[in-house]
Amino acid sequence: MRTEILSANDAGIERAAQIIRSGGLVAFPTETVYGLGADALNEDAVRKIFIAKERPVDDPLIVHIAHVQQLTLLARHIPARVWGLVKKFWPGPLTLVLPKTEKVPSVTTGELDTVAVRIPSHPVARKLIERSGCPIAAPSANRFGRPSPTTAQHVLEDLDGRIDLVLDGGPTPIGVESTVLDLTQEPPMILRPGGVTLETLQEILGEVRVLSSSSIEAAKRSPGTRWRHYAPRAPLLLAEPTELEQIVRDLLKDGKRVGVMIRQNRLQCSPDPAVLSVIQMPTDFSEYARRLFRVLRELDAHGVDVIVVETVEERGLGRAIMDRLRKASYNYSP
Ligand code: TXA
Ligand code: MG
């Protein structure tokens, strides 16, 4: 299969919508990361997503809509508190898990009887959904297990020849995926931290639980959390700020080429760029999130043997950043 690349102007979006309507696969920008879209109500089209990504079939997809009215097509029961959330956070990086209707094929939801839904705020994504005339199922447009794509180039690195089209809309502004919030339980539970923070959700909902990404419960409730994810090819080690320097020294002594992601560079050890690539990450969490997946891919391209990443504080977007780093890390085991 040849993969077309078009810029995300009106003509490009129209072509993409045609492909979606005829059951094909289109990668497109959202405000979080690039998604790999297909008609969410067309079983054969949705199956192609799992094949292209090599994604386990029991890992459910997020369904993207353009208007709140489409929610009733997908969700069987909509608890009253949904409307407050929708008013404040849609369009935007908040995905709501609700009981599904029979219209939603079970391939789309990995056989679960719930469906995950969001309205993306990226204008290209919304136009594409509108013109396609159907809800669009879209996981991140990477090969399963790889860092999520924040540019059209990243999509091609992983999926060239496996999908019909990539719409190039430039780099995505947020850089980490949406927050997945399960509203089928009381109190609501964050299954995956993301673009909308726990703190802001608490302001609206009061009590909100957070699924610990390493629990058995996590594997059951959010099947996508079971595997090593977002991972560069080189093993990734997480290091507390106080132990980072020693870990890097030991690895260099072992003859390893080391990549380091650190927010304030205070490393005293050999700055030889042949063996040590230090990437200074932004102290601001929004900028950090925007760069995170790109830097992981870049360090791979440098050909380092191991990547050492300094941990960040788990508040605000820092929670989503640490979640991705933990799942990308070498010894991650839920
Ligand atoms: O920002 C995003 O959410 C991006 C863009 C493209 O919208 N999409 C994305 O999709 O990150 P994906 O497939 O990479 O991650 C979806 C996550 C997985 O962890 C999956 O297990 C969870 O959402 N999920 C989807 N449907 C679910 C459901 N019915 N119940 C529980 N978890 C669900
Ligand atoms: Mg993903």
Side-chain angles (χ1 to χ4, degrees):
M1 177 192 280
R2 204 181 72 82
T3 300
E4 254 183 286
I5 309 154
L6 292 175
S7 56
N9 53 24
D10 274 352
I13 295 173
E14 196 46 57
R15 170 91 189 108
Q18 259 171 23
I19 293 174
I20 297 280
R21 284 194 298 267
S22 58
L25 299 185
V26 173
F28 62 96
T30 80
E31 71 279 22
T32 57
V33 300
Y34 274 71
L36 177 59
D39 178 347
L41 307 182
N42 175 339
E43 286 185 32
D44 291 334
V46 170
R47 266 193 207 101
K48 291 184 196 165
I49 292 180
F50 289 92
I51 295 167
K53 283 191 55 128
E54 296 175 12
R55 178 181 174 111
V57 291
D58 61 352
D59 190 357
L61 307 179
I62 294 175
V63 179
H64 298 69
I65 56 179
H67 301 286
V68 182
Q69 296 88 297
Q70 287 174 290
L71 191 55
T72 49
L73 177 75
L74 307 171
R76 184 165 28 107
H77 169 66
I78 303 175
R81 62 186 165 199
V82 164
W83 303 114
L85 290 170
V86 161
K87 193 155 176 247
K88 179 145 170 116
F89 298 110
W90 279 6
L94 178 67
T95 295
L96 303 178
V97 174
L98 295 165
K100 83 172 189 71
T101 62
E102 274 163 20
K103 282 257 182 330
V104 185
S106 54
V107 264
T108 305
T109 64
E111 306 292 327
L112 296 176
D113 62 1
T114 54
V115 62
V117 188
R118 81 180 188 100
I119 301 187
S121 66
H122 198 295
V124 171
R126 291 185 71 192
K127 265 191 214 155
L128 175 63
I129 302 163
E130 270 170 11
R131 304 227 177 132
S132 303
C134 58
I136 295 185
S140 48
N142 49 283
R143 280 283 186 113
F144 186 72
R146 296 265 299 141
S148 298
T150 57
T151 66
Q153 194 48 47
H154 296 164
V155 176
L156 288 173
E157 278 170 26
D158 282 14
L159 299 175
D160 195 10
R162 297 175 156 249
I163 63 178
D164 297 291
L165 171 71
V166 183
L167 270 183
D168 186 350
T172 57
I174 295 180
V176 292
E177 300 87 342
S178 62
T179 302
V180 178
L181 181 69
D182 185 353
L183 290 170
T184 65
Q185 51 176 313
E186 184 59 50
M189 184 186 261
I190 293 179
L191 301 180
R192 177 181 73 183
V196 170
T197 63
L198 169 67
E199 292 83 347
T200 29
L201 286 173
Q202 281 167 334
E203 279 168 27
I204 303 240
L205 293 172
E207 194 185 349
V208 178
R209 294 207 298 149
V210 181
L211 181 62
S212 139
S213 55
S214 60
S215 65
I216 304 263
E217 200 190 355
K220 263 199 335 233
R221 289 196 187 274
S222 187
T225 58
R226 249 178 302 163
W227 297 270
R228 186 174 176 229
H229 260 292
Y230 314 111
R233 294 192 173 87
L236 184 152
L237 304 179
L238 274 172
E240 299 291 330
T242 49
E243 56 177 18
L244 186 130
E245 171 107 29
Q246 193 53 48
I247 291 175
V248 172
R249 277 177 193 278
D250 290 347
L251 288 165
L252 289 171
K253 216 186 288 160
D254 280 356
K256 300 275 194 262
R257 284 165 303 164
V258 184
V260 179
M261 289 163 61
I262 189 168
R263 287 204 290 168
Q264 249 132 35
N265 190 2
R266 43 189 158 51
L267 287 186
Q268 309 278 315
C269 43
S270 144
D272 178 357
V275 292
L276 182 63
S277 313
V278 179
I279 310 254
Q280 177 131 14
M281 296 303 286
T283 41
D284 177 75
F285 281 151
S286 307
E287 280 172 43
Y288 192 120
R290 201 173 300 138
R291 285 191 60 193
L292 172 61
F293 290 133
R294 175 155 44 104
V295 169
L296 292 178
R297 283 178 184 260
E298 277 167 10
L299 283 170
D300 262 346
H302 278 244
V304 297
D305 299 314
V306 53
I307 299 172
V308 183
V309 187
E310 182 185 39
T311 56
V312 304
E313 313 88 75
E314 298 199 54
R315 56 172 169 75
L317 257 188
R319 225 176 242 110
I321 292 168
M322 274 305 288
D323 171 79
R324 305 308 185 271
L325 288 174
R326 224 175 257 131
K327 288 174 185 164
S329 70
Y330 186 54
N331 42 11
Y332 176 67
S333 67

